[in-house]
Amino acid sequence: MTNRKEAVLQGSMWLLKKTRLLVLAMSVLISTVAVAQGTPVRFSVQQKQVSPTEVDVVFSAKIDKGWHVYSTGLPDDGPVPATITIEKKEGAQPVGKLTPQGHEVNTYDEMFGMKLRFFENSVRFVQKFKITGKTYNIKGYLQYGACNDEMCLPPTQVEFNYSGKGPEDAPVAKEEEEAVKEEVPETKATADSMKTDSSKTASVTIASPTSGENLWKPVIKELDALNDGTTNTDNSLWYIFIMGILGGLVALFTPCVWPIIPMTVSFFLKRAKGKSQGIKDAVTYGISIVVIYLGLGLAITAIFGANSLNSLATNAYFNILFCLLLIVFALSFFGWFEISLPSSWANKVDAKASNTSGLISIFLMAFTLALVSFSCTGPIIGFLLVDFATSGNIVAPAVGMLGFAIALALPFTLFAMFPSWLKQAPKSGSWMNTIKIVLGFIELAFACKFFSVADLAYGWHLLDREVFLSLWIAIFGGLGLYLLGILRFQSDGDTHKAMPVPCILLGLTSLSFTIYMIPGLWGAPCKAVSAFSSPMNTQDFNLNKAQEVHPAFTSYEEGMEAAAKMGKPVLIDFTGFGCVNCRKMEAAVWTDPQVAEKLTKDYVLISLYVDDKTPLPEPVEVVKPDGTKRTLRTVGDKWSHLEETKFGFLAQPFYVTVDNEGNPLSGSFVYKEDIPGYMEFLEKGLENYRNR
């Protein structure tokens, strides 16, 4: 007995040493995600002398993957195009239009109902000037719009101010007053906003006329604290890690893994010279499993790249691929066919393991397990990797696979340390096939979710809300009938034994969920599935007429003053006339009856349009958080400056709840068609406002 305790103690110490590396790896993975993202579009501007009488102003941009910058000459009711405004031109005249250079993408956009042109990766905009004087001075700015699949930047300006010498025989340069007010022909811009000469630009601090500077006071740290340092669009790494563990536990109870555990543990204990050596071998075996699956997660990140993983969530092609993969996995679990790797692979690895010794032999045995069990673990791993890859976290696949591998490897170590536990473990049986069938239904349900993303992106209207709900009603209804023993599969055999009590309870739960979704076919909100189903605005037959929500104010100061008088919290909506995803949120989330009631009765809604071209009384020069100066010329410039300096964010849509002093109440919310999440966001803000 004493020897056994010593062996277990030695094995425990060995396990502690080995797991230190895993803990360190987990810490490194988590820490690497805490990196602030830079500006997705970076412009530089330079002057290029073409000839003694001609000069080009060249704007060059580097664009992050997943983002795009719109081209010139787009219609007025579209997104923000690239335009140039000339504020001053002494001894020079613009020649022609602003010219884009690069690979221009031309595509039809369903939301705007027009063809849009934009650039990805890089672009150059060139404006030519003819020198007409002995000296020249040109001053102005380029304005551009940029978006990705989830958000848009506000109209952003790149200023320039160049001077130089012209031909000796040219006349003395003289500023042309009328030209200062003009923009290059046929470009869309803020010409009317420039009623004042740029030399009159004021350098002042933007402040509230009613509450001094308090409403403009930065609250970035407070907002970060409420957000826990993250945005609400990405799954946290701890959530992903836990999901990986749950996936590993499910895989553990499949027919390909569970029966192998007692055989593997017995093998290690019998071949070892002592108890402690057997435990060490089993621990090494478990760590090898972790290394194999962790390596798989790292490989996924390396193959796709960090930027690609961040854009997968809304990429239509990938979502179609994921949908098809999940359908194939589901059919495999139903027993239609078996997904397995070539048997020769496992035989070769197993033979190699038999001919070697030490750590290499144990690692190869773990690799053999991964190959042999692939028919059961493959669909589970595939489902998890799809979820992790579309979560928005760069290291999510690695973190998720780490959790999966730990859950899968831990029993081998524990049963080696405590062999008596094997006697109490459940025996292999038909219950493992039941788990596979249930997983098949779940994967079919999530396949609908991924196809819905592609359907919305392309506007096919193949999976509108009522069609989505019909499929889920059929899927979860079938799952309920199966768990009750009414529906049978070929892999279940010919037995008609009564289902165990847990299966019957789960079956009743699934049928109840099915009944819950049925009213959704006529427009019931069905909050529990709104985060997965197609948005309400895609439903053709809707007896529940959604309430339209309109902002109470479009001025920050006026809205805050009114909210203070009414004693209500404020929801600030940073939006844009050309923001596609802003319209999607308003159509899919704001039209929900509960959300609409909150916004109209419990909050004062202020919508601030960052692309509002209404001119300010006079241009205002301000200092940005990075220390650079910026000139605010329009109302939209003012609101984008408020968003950046007060809240530390510069994209739309962006929602934040604040009290009457402008302090955040419940963090922030960006583009995510998640009605329950949005309701939680509003409820938390209202609760904190009442507590204050």
Side-chain angles (χ1 to χ4, degrees):
M1 186 69 178
T2 303
N3 292 335
R4 181 181 175 184
K5 289 183 178 180
E6 291 178 354
V8 171
L9 180 60
Q10 291 178 10
S12 300
M13 294 301 294
W14 175 266
L15 176 62
L16 180 61
K17 291 178 182 179
K18 293 290 185 180
T19 52
R20 285 177 180 172
L21 293 175
L22 295 177
V23 174
L24 178 61
M26 182 65 180
S27 301
V28 172
L29 287 170
I30 292 176
S31 63
T32 55
V33 82
V35 180
Q37 292 185 345
T39 305
V41 180
R42 296 166 294 282
F43 262 97
S44 61
V45 58
Q46 61 178 344
Q47 176 184 230
K48 184 178 180 182
Q49 190 83 33
V50 179
S51 69
T53 60
E54 192 175 41
V55 65
D56 288 349
V57 176
V58 182
F59 304 88
S60 302
K62 298 288 186 182
I63 308 169
D64 284 354
K65 196 164 186 178
W67 286 80
H68 54 263
V69 172
Y70 290 104
S71 187
T72 58
L74 300 182
D76 288 342
D77 52 351
V80 178
T83 59
I84 188 169
T85 299
I86 313 299
E87 297 178 298
K88 187 176 184 180
K89 48 181 182 179
E90 295 178 356
Q93 283 287 339
V95 178
K97 304 176 182 179
L98 180 69
T99 305
Q101 297 178 356
H103 177 64
E104 188 176 70
V105 178
N106 193 336
T107 184
Y108 185 80
D109 188 276
E110 289 283 349
M111 182 63 69
F112 284 111
M114 65 178 68
K115 280 195 172 183
L116 296 180
R117 295 175 287 108
F118 54 82
F119 297 88
E120 298 173 331
N121 301 321
S122 64
V123 65
R124 287 178 30 154
F125 295 103
V126 180
Q127 178 61 57
K128 293 184 178 295
F129 288 88
K130 180 181 179 181
I131 303 173
T132 59
K134 287 185 177 180
T135 61
Y136 68 88
N137 179 215
I138 49 179
K139 180 182 179 182
Y141 59 90
L142 171 81
Q143 181 171 272
Y144 68 91
C147 295
N148 66 5
D149 290 335
E150 293 186 357
M151 59 187 64
C152 295
L153 295 178
T156 309
Q157 298 168 0
V158 183
E159 299 186 358
F160 66 92
N161 187 357
Y162 292 117
S163 58
K165 295 182 179 180
E168 288 295 331
D169 57 349
V172 176
K174 181 181 179 182
E175 181 176 356
E176 302 177 22
E177 296 292 339
E178 293 303 319
V180 176
K181 301 177 184 179
E182 296 177 357
E183 189 185 4
V184 175
E186 295 187 27
T187 58
K188 171 187 175 185
T190 58
D192 294 338
S193 68
M194 302 311 301
K195 300 298 183 182
T196 313
D197 189 278
S198 60
S199 62
K200 298 179 183 179
T201 299
S203 180
V204 300
T205 301
I206 300 285
S208 165
T210 58
S211 303
E213 298 181 12
N214 282 341
L215 295 182
W216 285 76
K217 180 181 68 176
V219 292
I220 300 173
K221 292 183 179 179
E222 294 87 339
L223 194 61
D224 285 343
L226 289 169
N227 284 332
D228 295 326
T230 62
T231 62
N232 52 24
T233 54
D234 293 342
N235 292 326
S236 70
L237 287 179
W238 283 114
Y239 165 80
I240 291 170
F241 181 67
I242 293 172
M243 286 298 295
I245 289 178
L246 292 176
L249 292 176
V250 171
L252 188 66
F253 293 105
T254 58
C256 309
V257 179
W258 187 257
I260 299 177
I261 295 177
M263 293 187 294
T264 305
V265 171
S266 299
F267 171 77
F268 282 126
L269 295 179
K270 289 178 180 178
R271 85 165 193 169
K273 296 179 180 179
K275 178 72 174 180
S276 61
Q277 183 62 42
I279 294 176
K280 289 180 181 180
D281 288 348
V283 170
T284 305
Y285 183 77
I287 292 176
S288 298
I289 294 174
V290 172
V291 170
I292 291 169
Y293 287 106
L294 178 59
L296 174 62
L298 292 172
I300 293 296
T301 301
I303 291 171
F304 286 101
N307 290 325
S308 295
L309 287 179
N310 284 332
S311 63
L312 287 183
T314 52
N315 185 288
Y317 296 108
F318 277 107
N319 277 276
I320 293 174
L321 176 62
F322 294 156
C323 170
L324 295 176
L325 281 176
L326 292 181
I327 291 175
V328 171
F329 292 155
L331 296 178
S332 172
F333 274 149
F334 288 155
W336 194 358
F337 52 83
E338 186 175 282
I339 299 176
S340 60
L341 298 174
S343 58
S344 59
W345 293 9
N347 294 335
K348 289 179 181 179
V349 175
D350 187 49
K352 189 69 176 177
S354 302
N355 296 329
T356 57
S357 60
L359 293 176
I360 297 178
S361 173
I362 296 174
F363 179 82
L364 290 175
M365 289 180 62
F367 196 60
T368 303
L369 170 69
L371 296 177
V372 171
S373 63
F374 184 79
S375 59
C376 293
T377 60
I380 299 173
I381 293 171
F383 173 74
L384 291 174
L385 285 176
V386 166
D387 186 43
F388 300 155
T390 57
S391 67
N393 279 308
I394 295 172
V395 294
V399 173
M401 284 297 97
L402 178 62
F404 177 88
I406 289 176
L408 195 64
L410 195 59
F412 291 95
T413 302
L414 293 178
F415 284 131
M417 296 175 65
F418 307 100
S420 60
W421 289 5
L422 281 172
K423 298 178 181 179
Q424 302 174 6
K427 305 299 181 182
S428 301
S430 59
W431 58 271
M432 291 186 294
N433 185 69
T434 302
I435 292 177
K436 288 181 61 178
I437 299 296
V438 171
L439 287 175
F441 279 106
I442 293 174
E443 298 209 347
L444 269 185
F446 276 91
C448 298
K449 182 256 185 187
F450 286 107
F451 186 81
S452 175
V453 175
D455 184 63
L456 290 171
Y458 284 103
W460 295 330
H461 297 290
L462 298 176
L463 201 65
D464 289 344
R465 187 172 182 268
E466 61 266 41
V467 179
F468 184 99
L469 289 176
S470 297
L471 290 173
W472 268 39
I473 288 170
I475 290 170
F476 284 96
L479 174 59
L481 294 176
Y482 174 76
L483 290 172
L484 292 176
I486 300 173
L487 178 65
R488 308 295 293 174
F489 284 80
Q490 187 175 359
S491 57
D492 292 317
D494 297 329
T495 58
H496 295 279
K497 295 181 180 179
M499 299 297 284
V501 173
C503 287
I504 294 175
L505 293 177
L506 289 174
L508 293 174
T509 302
S510 183
L511 289 178
S512 299
F513 182 58
T514 301
I515 296 172
Y516 164 81
M517 289 188 289
I518 291 176
L521 298 174
W522 293 274
C526 295
K527 305 294 183 182
V529 300
S530 57
F532 302 96
S533 65
S534 303
M536 183 72 77
N537 64 307
T538 64
Q539 183 145 339
D540 296 325
F541 183 66
N542 187 357
L543 297 178
N544 180 25
K545 298 299 181 181
Q547 179 179 354
E548 291 188 5
V549 177
H550 300 283
F553 296 91
T554 56
S555 168
Y556 176 57
E557 292 88 356
E558 292 178 8
M560 293 297 291
E561 183 178 7
K565 291 179 180 178
M566 290 186 283
K568 290 184 177 182
V570 173
L571 175 68
I572 303 178
D573 162 35
F574 287 98
T575 183
F577 296 112
C579 175
V580 175
N581 288 324
C582 300
R583 304 291 84 78
K584 288 182 179 179
M585 286 291 290
E586 292 162 11
V589 178
W590 282 13
T591 54
D592 177 82
Q594 288 189 335
V595 173
E597 184 178 8
K598 284 288 178 189
L599 294 179
T600 54
K601 294 184 179 180
D602 296 329
Y603 277 91
V604 172
L605 176 60
I606 304 176
S607 290
L608 304 178
Y609 290 83
V610 298
D611 52 1
D612 187 341
K613 292 182 174 57
T614 304
L616 294 173
E618 65 178 28
V620 179
E621 189 174 88
V622 296
V623 179
K624 296 171 63 177
D626 60 5
T628 59
K629 292 183 178 180
R630 175 189 178 186
T631 301
L632 309 182
R633 299 176 175 87
T634 65
V635 172
D637 292 344
K638 178 181 177 181
W639 301 145
S640 65
H641 178 65
L642 171 68
E643 182 184 16
E644 182 179 17
T645 56
K646 184 174 179 68
F647 301 110
F649 203 78
L650 197 58
Q652 292 74 51
F654 181 71
Y655 309 95
V656 59
T657 57
V658 298
D659 61 18
N660 303 130
E661 298 296 326
N663 300 308
L665 293 170
S666 60
S668 60
F669 203 97
V670 291
Y671 174 69
K672 189 177 184 181
E673 296 180 26
D674 177 9
I675 294 175
Y678 204 79
M679 278 297 297
E680 182 181 354
F681 162 71
L682 296 177
E683 290 281 6
K684 182 178 178 182
L686 190 60
E687 180 183 355
N688 288 339
Y689 180 80
R690 290 168 177 167
N691 291 338
R692 292 182 186 182

